[in-house]
Amino acid sequence: MKIGIIGAGNIGGNLTRRLTALGHDVSVANSRGPQTLTALAEETGATPVTVAEAARGAELVVVTIPLKNVPDLPSGLFDEAAEGFAVLDTGNYYPQQRDGRIDAIEDGGLTESRWTEQHIGHPVIKAFNGTYAQDILDKPLPKGDPRRMALPVAGDDEVAKKTVRDLIDELGFDTVDAGGIDESWRQQPDTPVYGLRAGVAEVAKALAAASPERPEAFRA
Ligand SMILES: NC(=O)c1ccc[n+]([C@@H]2O[C@H](COP(=O)([O-])OP(=O)(O)OC[C@H]3O[C@@H](n4cnc5c(N)ncnc54)[C@H](OP(=O)(O)O)[C@@H]3O)[C@@H](O)[C@H]2O)c1
């Protein structure tokens, strides 16, 4: 699959590593430009590109940057993406440590991914937001292994959600359908499923146990 990854940090870097190892055609961008991505490109065979080029021809675009930087993404970002492309959003709102206050999330009641959708102008599928970056490299297991970890996946577009769930399966993880983006508070920071290393049944149970109230630690 042709995949564009925007963000080459902990998550974007490790997704680049695993997706190239699986044979996908990966382009990767960061904020400083492709000349700063030569080491990752040499290591993985991914193509370093500018943000504006990242979605060109992509069937899947991964947005994996700090939430506060989402509004900086250029308009027309997806103009040259493949027809029917999906967007995977790994983002979290960390108001105290990183992002500062975002009123639309804190007062407006928007889920973090709905806010991101509004900025990028395209529906997203939310996954990996509660996964430790290192687990992307260390925890993949074959389908059917009883120790295989499951990841919650939320999104409104069922076709895009299936694309992402199939890819996560290929990456070595089970998935649990976590509903639509309005329900994706169930997997935001400090919920029972956030950072949970467990299989399908426990992940489903943790999603069901979540509270929609934003925890104090994740308010500005
Ligand atoms: N770390 C984790 O274990 C983890 C787990 C789950 C979810 N997440 C979430 O996933 C997202 C990414 O986290 P991370 O830990 O991978 O972040 P990170 O290590 O800080 O890396 C952020 C990346 O985003 C790039 N970036 C920032 N602004 C950009 C822009 N305007 N255009 C293009 N690229 C931009 C940075 O580029 P430069 O290097 O050039 O500045 C960097 O490559 C965050 O929302 C985070 O909360 C993280």
Side-chain angles (χ1 to χ4, degrees):
M1 191 189 299
K2 188 153 174 41
I3 301 172
I5 301 184
I6 300 174
N10 299 303
I11 293 279
N14 284 350
L15 284 177
T16 299
R17 291 181 177 91
R18 289 282 297 130
L19 290 168
T20 49
L22 289 167
H24 293 285
D25 176 0
V26 176
S27 293
V28 61
N30 64 3
S31 74
R32 289 165 295 153
Q35 73 285 355
T36 65
L37 289 169
T38 45
L40 183 63
E42 274 167 26
E43 178 194 340
T44 62
T47 307
V49 293
T50 63
V51 178
E53 292 165 333
R56 190 174 289 167
E59 298 156 85
L60 176 70
V61 181
V62 182
V63 176
T64 182
I65 67 176
L67 209 69
K68 68 176 165 55
N69 297 333
V70 167
D72 301 337
L73 292 172
S75 61
L77 184 61
F78 305 120
D79 285 357
E80 293 179 69
E83 205 179 320
F85 71 101
V87 176
L88 166 59
D89 165 30
T90 77
N92 294 303
Y93 175 48
Y94 273 70
Q96 297 178 14
Q97 295 94 327
R98 188 188 63 199
D99 297 320
R101 183 181 172 83
I102 298 178
D103 292 343
I105 292 176
E106 297 227 13
D107 306 330
L110 287 184
T111 58
E112 296 163 18
S113 283
R114 187 68 81 200
W115 180 86
T116 293
E117 283 187 348
Q118 292 185 355
H119 280 281
I120 65 172
H122 196 274
V124 303
I125 304 299
K126 185 182 193 73
F128 288 108
N129 72 293
T131 309
Y132 296 98
Q134 190 62 32
D135 285 0
I136 293 170
L137 301 184
D138 295 348
K139 299 287 184 189
L141 284 170
K143 206 182 182 80
D145 190 306
R147 296 162 304 156
R148 202 183 205 215
M149 273 173 58
L151 311 187
V153 181
D156 300 323
D157 178 335
E158 293 302 329
V159 176
K161 193 188 264 182
K162 183 172 181 332
T163 300
V164 170
R165 293 183 73 178
D166 288 350
L167 193 69
I168 293 174
D169 184 33
E170 210 186 314
L171 284 164
F173 302 93
D174 287 332
T175 57
V176 174
D177 189 337
I181 291 299
D182 283 341
E183 258 202 288
S184 62
W185 48 265
R186 292 184 184 278
Q187 68 191 71
Q188 288 180 173
D190 229 10
T191 55
V193 84
Y194 191 72
L196 181 68
R197 292 172 163 134
V200 168
E202 268 190 77
V203 165
K205 211 166 119 190
L207 285 166
S211 156
E213 200 169 321
R214 175 164 290 281
E216 252 338 284
F218 288 88
R219 288 179 176 278

